[in-house]
Amino acid sequence: VIGITTRKLSEYLMSMFEIFLIAVGLATDAFAVSVAKGPCIGPSEQYKKLVLPFLFGLFQMLMPLIGWLVGSRFANFINAYDHWIIFAILGYLGFAMIRESRKHSDDDDFCLFLSWREMMMLALATSIDALAIGLMLAFLDVNVTWASSLIGIITFIISLLGIFLGRQLAKLLAGKVEISGGLVLIGIGAKILLQHLGILP
């Protein structure tokens, strides 16, 4: 009994840790945008330093729920190869992040007026990847409400840090954040695939 309980606890902690890593990977885009946009917020709009991270976190929380609702309709039909789907989704998102990081330039004009419409569009654009993660969660034994909430909270915290760290950090990192996030997602996808194929325990 103790052995079974320990094994279940280990599996739970591992899945929790993996969701945490996925959340951090997803938050890298929002972090990069927050770092770039932080200096654009004027003295009379300091409240936007909280509103923008909140919108990032809110959209990142809602998108996995939407993806899960769609994916759960098909989960029972493709259980035999769901691990390949998970690997494909995480691999694609990871490589997309790495590819996008190479397009960033120090000459990009990030500091345009930060309107409410722009904040909403940024929140939507940085949360599209989370929609695909929601599809993936439909094939895993994970509490999607807990997972999506964790993704949203981590995105809010990381984005808030990005807002206050400012443009100097953007120049220092220069796309490295997205590369790290992409590698994390690819690594998790590969691990899940190898476990389902029996190569890893």
Side-chain angles (χ1 to χ4, degrees):
V1 175
I2 295 176
I4 294 174
T5 303
T6 303
R7 185 170 67 251
K8 286 185 177 180
L9 178 61
S10 176
E11 291 173 354
Y12 172 75
L13 291 175
M14 181 59 67
S15 64
M16 186 167 63
F17 181 64
E18 288 170 353
I19 294 296
F20 173 80
L21 290 179
I22 289 173
V24 172
L26 287 175
T28 55
D29 277 350
F31 175 78
V33 173
S34 297
V35 168
K37 287 295 184 181
C40 305
I41 299 175
S44 63
E45 297 182 318
Q46 291 298 299
Y47 63 92
K48 289 185 179 179
K49 290 186 176 181
L50 286 176
V51 172
L52 186 60
F54 173 78
L55 290 175
F56 283 154
L58 178 64
F59 275 68
Q60 289 275 39
M61 180 183 71
L62 294 177
M63 284 296 187
L65 291 172
I66 296 172
W68 179 84
L69 287 173
V70 175
S72 60
R73 296 176 179 271
F74 306 101
N76 292 333
F77 300 102
I78 50 181
N79 282 334
Y81 47 92
D82 56 1
H83 47 285
W84 287 103
I85 296 174
I86 294 169
F87 175 69
I89 290 174
L90 290 178
Y92 172 78
L93 293 179
F95 280 114
M97 283 186 180
I98 294 172
R99 185 178 65 249
E100 286 297 318
S101 71
R102 303 182 63 181
K103 296 181 180 180
H104 291 171
S105 169
D106 291 337
D107 297 327
D108 290 341
D109 183 14
F110 283 108
C111 222
L112 301 173
F113 176 69
L114 191 61
S115 65
W116 282 92
R117 179 178 180 275
E118 185 184 4
M119 288 195 296
M120 294 293 289
M121 293 300 294
L122 287 171
L124 177 61
T126 56
S127 65
I128 295 299
D129 291 349
L131 185 68
I133 293 297
L135 289 170
M136 181 202 74
L137 292 177
F139 307 119
L140 297 174
D141 185 17
V142 175
N143 185 319
V144 68
T145 302
W146 173 85
S148 61
S149 298
L150 181 63
I151 290 171
I153 291 170
I154 288 176
T155 300
F156 170 75
I157 294 172
I158 289 178
S159 300
L160 191 63
L161 289 174
I163 285 286
F164 288 98
L165 289 175
R167 185 182 289 276
Q168 287 305 118
L169 185 57
K171 294 179 179 179
L172 176 65
L173 296 175
K176 296 183 179 67
V177 174
E178 293 94 332
I179 292 174
S180 299
L183 291 175
V184 166
L185 295 184
I186 293 171
I188 294 174
K191 177 180 178 293
I192 292 174
L193 176 64
L194 293 175
Q195 284 179 327
H196 278 75
L197 294 178
I199 298 175
L200 289 179

